[in-house]
Every structure is written in structure tokens, then in C-alpha cells.
Amino acid sequence: QVRLVESGGGVVQPGGSLTLSCVPSESTFVIYSSNLMAWFRQAPGKEREFVAGVTWRNNQKYYGDSVKDRFTIYRYAAENAVTLQMNSLKSEDTGVYFCARKSDRWAYTDESKYDAWGQGTQVTVGA
């Protein structure tokens, strides 16, 4: 069941920037203060990997090693929205980017611990 909606994907040249957004697909979807919201991505032929996460209560942020210092995750509690600002994009950043919700901040890189997902948005870096 898809409960989140991602947007903002597209084609960008290496070195460029994109901002992805994630909002609930239904008004009844709740992000609790104990939750962590995250972005994952999946490149063709590869497993889905953790990109970035943020705790809803205190805005603590986590990043995958490959995106540190290039990507920034933001949360907007009033709008129930999460964004991912991606700078200095590389060809290896190409993939489908997914937004997801987890009940707490532990084991945040484990996709099996997330209880709500979006359908994903495609990001392509290159010509």
C-alpha cells in the first residue's frame, strides 16, 4: 500500500542539483514524533540503499557515506513533508528514490524496518 508520494525527479547533468519532495498520499497518514523519515534509492541491478534520514521529534539527521556533504534532508513538520536537496550530483546517484517512514530512529539503514513507502521518483544524472 503506497502511503507516500515523491516528486522532483528528473534528468540532470553531472555536477547539477535536484530537490526531491515527499508528502503523504492521504490526509489520514500521520507522522508521529517518534518516527524517522528517510530516503532510499535503488540503482539498476542493485539493492535499495539508505540515503538519508531525519528524526521527526528533534531533527537529527543521518546520511549514507556516498552522499555525505552533498545531500541534505529537511523535514517540515507543519506540512508533513520531507525534502532531499541533492547537490554535486554524480552518475552513480542515478536511480529511483523512495521516501519511507519508520517507527523510531534505530536500525535506520534497514529497509525492512520501514512501514510506509512511496512509489519512487526517477533521478538520472548524465546526458
Side-chain angles (χ1 to χ4, degrees):
Q1 182 182 6
V2 175
R3 305 195 67 191
L4 296 162
V5 179
E6 303 93 341
S7 62
V11 180
V12 63
Q13 294 295 316
S17 299
L18 275 178
T19 299
L20 307 182
S21 297
C22 170
V23 295
S25 61
E26 54 203 43
S27 60
T28 56
F29 185 88
V30 178
I31 302 177
Y32 298 97
S33 60
S34 61
N35 288 167
L36 178 144
M37 296 297 293
W39 288 93
F40 284 74
R41 68 185 180 190
Q42 187 166 23
K46 294 188 177 181
E47 293 186 352
R48 194 150 52 181
E49 66 169 342
F50 173 81
V51 174
V54 60
T55 60
W56 212 246
R57 176 184 290 119
N58 57 14
N59 201 29
Q60 186 169 358
K61 301 179 181 182
Y62 307 93
Y63 294 96
D65 289 341
S66 62
V67 306
K68 279 179 184 175
D69 301 323
R70 296 189 300 122
F71 291 11
T72 306
I73 188 170
Y74 296 98
R75 64 136 170 73
Y76 300 92
E79 293 83 12
N80 253 8
V82 180
T83 65
L84 184 68
Q85 174 67 43
M86 305 186 294
N87 298 326
S88 302
L89 283 161
K90 306 175 182 179
S91 58
E92 51 263 45
D93 294 318
T94 293
V96 179
Y97 284 69
F98 300 89
C99 179
R101 181 189 70 179
K102 190 179 178 299
S103 61
D104 56 43
R105 65 182 178 91
W106 307 107
Y108 54 83
T109 62
D110 185 350
E111 64 172 296
S112 71
K113 304 298 185 185
Y114 288 77
D115 65 356
W117 290 84
Q119 286 188 314
T121 185
Q122 177 70 45
V123 172
T124 303
V125 184

